[in-house]
Amino acid sequence: MRVVELFDQVRERWGERVAHRLARGESVREGFRGELNRYFDLMRQAIISGDPAWLNDVLDQWTAARTQSEREQREASLAPILGHILLSLNHVAREILSDEDALDLVSVVLPLHTHALQYASVQEADIYVRHISTELEKARTTLERLDKSKSDFISVAAHELRTPLTLIEGYASMLSDMYVRDSQPLPQAELMFQGIGNGIHRLREIIDDMIDVSLIDNDMLKLNFQPMWLNQLLNIAEQELKNVIAERGLTLENEDFPGCNEMTFADPERLYQAIWNILTNAVKYTPDHGKITISGRKLSGFIEVTIADNGIGIDPEDQTRIFEKFSRLGNVALHSSGKTKFKGGGPGLGLPITKGIIEAHGGAIWVESDGYDENACRGSIFHILLPIRKESPDGRLNKLFEPINGAAL
Ligand code: ADP
């Protein structure tokens, strides 16, 4: 076969040229020549058979031989090496062969070489993807471990804090009793006791939140299903917020929406906690004189409650993040313990707990907002979707609430 003869004529000088350009140092060059010879042997077979797959074997070994750091940085891809090999053939063929022979040889080698380039890049991409997947898996395992340690820490810290807090609470109350009985009480003492009381109350709230978060994290939140009516919870929350609403000059509209007076089985204490979190957030993130509206609708098998405010709003990219624990947006250093002051943030546990409670009921929660802007105050709407249950999932109390003569109570 004429092209094989032409190939044999250029092979020696071609190899030398490539080795000279690509391998520095005598010993490196020696090893490289060995590899190149294998490539040329297989190229020869590919020319004879017309099947470029002969080259795959050596290309597999070359891609697999790349070092870990080369892979990490996607360095030293085979493409430049194969490019040099082809370029050198072009030069050497023109030096040794006639123009016509050189063209014949290059036109046979070119498609084989193109196959080599494509094959090598697919192999390299495959190895790179596998490398990235392994790295991602490692990162995921590390993150899971970190999340578990964080969750364990919250749980341990919360339980450890409870004991000294109970002691402080007990001694503070004894001191306060003594103060009441004291014939010459210090004039500032009452204020001080009030401060201690507020501090203890806030600490207890934070510790309870930490315990709730770890219960939710570990799927251990227990619900006490009972018949309840949503409008009752909403009315209680409205009453509780009355003073704050007045202090801040806010308006709270509690609408009588379809489905709000329907009996459903749920855990009223936990649901109240969830609704309270959303409402106090609406208060915190709405400037003075703003408006909060509680509304909703009845859907097939569900009640949807919406709590809308015309406060500072939430950017679209944060609308999922706020339901993750410790996701308070903005500057962490600005944490304040104010529960109802404008922007008086907390530790960022309220929404994750709320989500945990709603999801434990088989419901869903999400937020809609046109984005964060403290001047434009485009507001936020929190949606809570709750399944209507005509019986308790744990079977308790069902008998008591069975329909009488076909009519539900
Ligand atoms: P926090 O204790 O900080 O209030 P939450 O989990 O209740 O924690 O809320 C997480 C974050 O979501 C808040 O820090 C706030 O940035 C944002 N957020 C929650 N509710 C609203 C709202 N109604 N308007 C604007 N931002 C809100």
Side-chain angles (χ1 to χ4, degrees):
M1 199 183 175
R2 205 170 69 85
V3 176
V4 178
E5 281 165 20
L6 297 175
F7 177 83
D8 289 341
Q9 282 177 45
V10 299
R11 176 178 168 155
E12 186 65 26
R13 197 185 296 179
W14 184 14
E16 268 169 23
R17 191 69 55 84
V18 175
H20 189 78
R21 290 200 66 174
L22 293 181
R24 310 228 175 271
E26 206 48 52
S27 57
V28 179
R29 203 168 292 159
E30 203 50 41
F32 187 69
R33 275 307 296 264
E35 287 298 315
L36 213 52
N37 269 334
R38 283 192 52 224
Y39 183 76
F40 287 157
D41 286 345
L42 295 170
M43 174 68 87
R44 196 171 188 279
Q45 289 300 329
I47 294 171
I48 294 168
S49 64
D51 179 6
W54 275 94
L55 295 166
N56 295 359
D57 210 28
V58 69
L59 293 169
D60 281 341
Q61 285 181 14
W62 285 1
T63 31
R66 290 173 64 210
T67 63
Q68 176 83 358
S69 67
E70 282 171 345
R71 263 178 227 154
E72 274 164 12
Q73 291 161 29
R74 294 209 76 181
E75 266 181 356
S77 129
L78 284 184
I81 298 177
L82 292 170
H84 273 303
I85 294 178
L86 186 64
L87 214 64
S88 304
L89 169 67
N90 198 26
H91 290 153
V92 172
R94 281 172 190 282
E95 285 164 20
I96 297 180
L97 306 174
S98 68
D99 280 357
E100 194 187 338
D101 286 349
L103 195 66
D104 283 351
L105 177 61
V106 171
S107 58
V108 170
V109 171
L110 191 62
L112 301 173
H113 214 78
T114 310
H115 162 84
L117 263 171
Q118 282 170 346
Y119 183 83
S121 66
V122 169
Q123 293 306 100
E124 281 178 341
D126 189 47
I127 288 182
Y128 186 64
V129 167
R130 267 185 278 144
H131 167 73
I132 291 285
S133 307
T134 319
E135 292 300 305
L136 275 177
E137 185 54 31
K138 275 195 223 156
R140 200 183 58 80
T141 317
T142 314
L143 275 178
E144 260 176 16
R145 218 180 301 131
L146 275 176
D147 198 52
K148 172 90 179 61
S149 323
K150 205 156 104 182
S151 166
D152 288 350
F153 173 76
I154 296 171
S155 167
V156 170
H159 284 99
E160 289 298 320
L161 287 171
R162 251 185 176 175
T163 318
L165 182 66
T166 310
L167 279 176
I168 296 171
E169 205 170 15
Y171 283 120
S173 136
M174 275 153 67
L175 268 177
S176 161
D177 286 351
M178 282 161 68
Y179 155 78
V180 171
R181 284 194 301 257
D182 197 342
S183 51
Q184 287 176 312
L186 280 171
Q188 305 91 337
E190 197 169 333
L191 260 182
M192 289 179 189
F193 283 124
Q194 216 173 54
I196 295 173
N198 290 344
I200 290 171
H201 180 71
R202 183 74 191 117
L203 254 180
R204 194 164 284 290
E205 278 181 342
I206 293 171
I207 293 171
D208 286 347
D209 278 359
M210 287 161 79
I211 291 173
D212 284 349
V213 155
S214 60
L215 286 177
I216 289 164
D217 266 358
N218 295 300
D219 283 330
M220 282 168 63
L221 188 74
K222 295 256 178 309
L223 294 182
N224 180 15
F225 279 93
Q226 293 172 28
M228 53 140 272
W229 292 259
L230 262 170
N231 58 349
Q232 289 188 353
L233 294 191
L234 295 168
N235 292 343
I236 297 171
E238 184 187 5
Q239 279 305 315
E240 285 288 311
L241 281 172
K242 227 174 186 135
N243 288 343
V244 178
I245 295 282
E247 269 167 35
R248 298 267 322 277
L250 297 164
T251 310
L252 174 63
E253 247 173 48
N254 183 9
E255 291 177 2
D256 200 12
F257 60 88
C260 71
N261 54 0
E262 186 147 338
M263 189 276 275
T264 177
F265 273 86
D267 183 328
E269 251 180 62
R270 285 298 188 182
L271 266 193
Y272 183 79
Q273 185 184 355
I275 287 168
W276 181 253
N277 280 340
I278 303 291
L279 278 172
T280 46
N281 274 348
V283 168
K284 277 194 301 190
Y285 300 106
T286 302
D288 293 357
H289 311 293
K291 186 174 171 188
I292 299 163
T293 311
I294 305 173
S295 186
R297 57 181 173 157
K298 191 176 168 190
L299 301 164
S300 162
F302 287 88
I303 300 176
E304 183 183 355
V305 184
T306 51
I307 296 175
D309 61 58
N310 60 359
I312 58 179
I314 303 164
D315 281 335
E317 63 269 28
D318 293 324
Q319 290 172 14
T320 315
R321 194 155 74 85
I322 53 170
F323 293 100
E324 290 163 15
K325 55 182 185 277
F326 301 120
S327 67
R328 183 163 193 259
L329 310 175
N331 188 350
V332 181
L334 293 179
H335 267 215
S336 105
S337 55
K339 282 287 278 180
T340 48
K341 283 190 209 127
F342 179 45
K343 294 198 287 168
L349 295 176
L351 287 180
I353 294 171
T354 303
K355 182 171 183 267
I357 293 173
I358 301 296
E359 288 180 352
H361 277 85
I365 179 165
W366 68 98
V367 67
E368 250 183 289
S369 171
D370 287 339
Y372 171 88
D373 188 328
E374 287 192 25
N375 298 316
C377 275
R378 292 190 289 249
S380 313
I381 309 176
F382 281 81
H383 298 254
I384 299 176
L385 199 63
L386 270 181
I388 302 173
R389 290 179 202 273
K390 289 302 168 198
E391 44 188 49
S392 162
D394 54 18
R396 287 184 324 111
L397 302 174
N398 285 348
K399 275 255 169 286
L400 276 173
F401 286 84
E402 266 172 8
I404 302 168
N405 294 334
L409 269 183

